[in-house]
Amino acid sequence: MHLIEKSGKWLFIIPFAIFGLLHFGPTEFTISYVPDYLPFPNFWIYFSGACLISFAISATIGKLDTLASLLLALELLLFVFLIHVPKALEGDFVSFIGIFRDTAMAGAAMLYAQYVASDKRFVKL
């Protein structure tokens, strides 16, 4: 595999590590994304950030990375259906874009699980 092809893995992992870390910053930037029907909005911000960081760590060390990438896909699809779709239906254009962005990233996470992840012990595709 060439250097350019190998760099794709890192171009996928690093942004999720950064997104995860950003969830631990000031919550006024992310609190509006938590649906009103969910209690404890700060918990969900920190939990989703921890999940993103967990994927990045797992993918970096190559342990349980298939499972982690499938869970990442699930998290992203939950973002689509719990956050972006309802807000898009209210007319929020940024959430409309978020539907397709997070759907694409979920698909990429599934491709990562299938073709890049190395630890296939617990998940058979």
Side-chain angles (χ1 to χ4, degrees), residues 45-87:
I45 293 169
Y46 298 137
F47 179 72
S48 62
C51 291
L52 296 171
I53 292 168
S54 296
F55 162 74
I57 292 169
S58 181
T60 298
I61 65 174
K63 298 293 182 196
L64 298 174
D65 52 348
T66 301
L67 178 61
S69 56
L70 291 174
L71 290 173
L72 173 64
L74 175 63
E75 179 180 11
L76 292 164
L77 291 173
L78 286 171
F79 288 168
V80 168
F81 292 107
L82 297 176
I83 299 169
H84 300 310
V85 168
K87 288 188 180 254

Side-chain angles (χ1 to χ4, degrees), residues 19-116:
F19 292 153
L21 291 172
L22 290 173
H23 279 73
F24 291 93
T27 58
E28 66 261 15
F29 298 111
T30 52
I31 199 83
S32 65
Y33 289 101
V34 179
D36 293 335
Y37 57 83
L38 287 177
F40 313 112
N42 285 331
F43 166 78
W44 294 109
I45 293 169
Y46 298 137
F47 179 72
S48 62
C51 291
L52 296 171
I53 292 168
S54 296
F55 162 74
I57 292 169
S58 181
T60 298
I61 65 174
K63 298 293 182 196
L64 298 174
D65 52 348
T66 301
L67 178 61
S69 56
L70 291 174
L71 290 173
L72 173 64
L74 175 63
E75 179 180 11
L76 292 164
L77 291 173
L78 286 171
F79 288 168
V80 168
F81 292 107
L82 297 176
I83 299 169
H84 300 310
V85 168
K87 288 188 180 254
L89 291 173
E90 294 172 358
D92 183 356
F93 186 72
V94 173
S95 289
F96 182 73
I97 294 169
I99 291 170
F100 298 102
R101 180 198 61 227
D102 285 356
T103 300
M105 288 193 301
M110 291 176 199
L111 288 170
Y112 187 97
Q114 180 71 39
Y115 297 108
V116 180

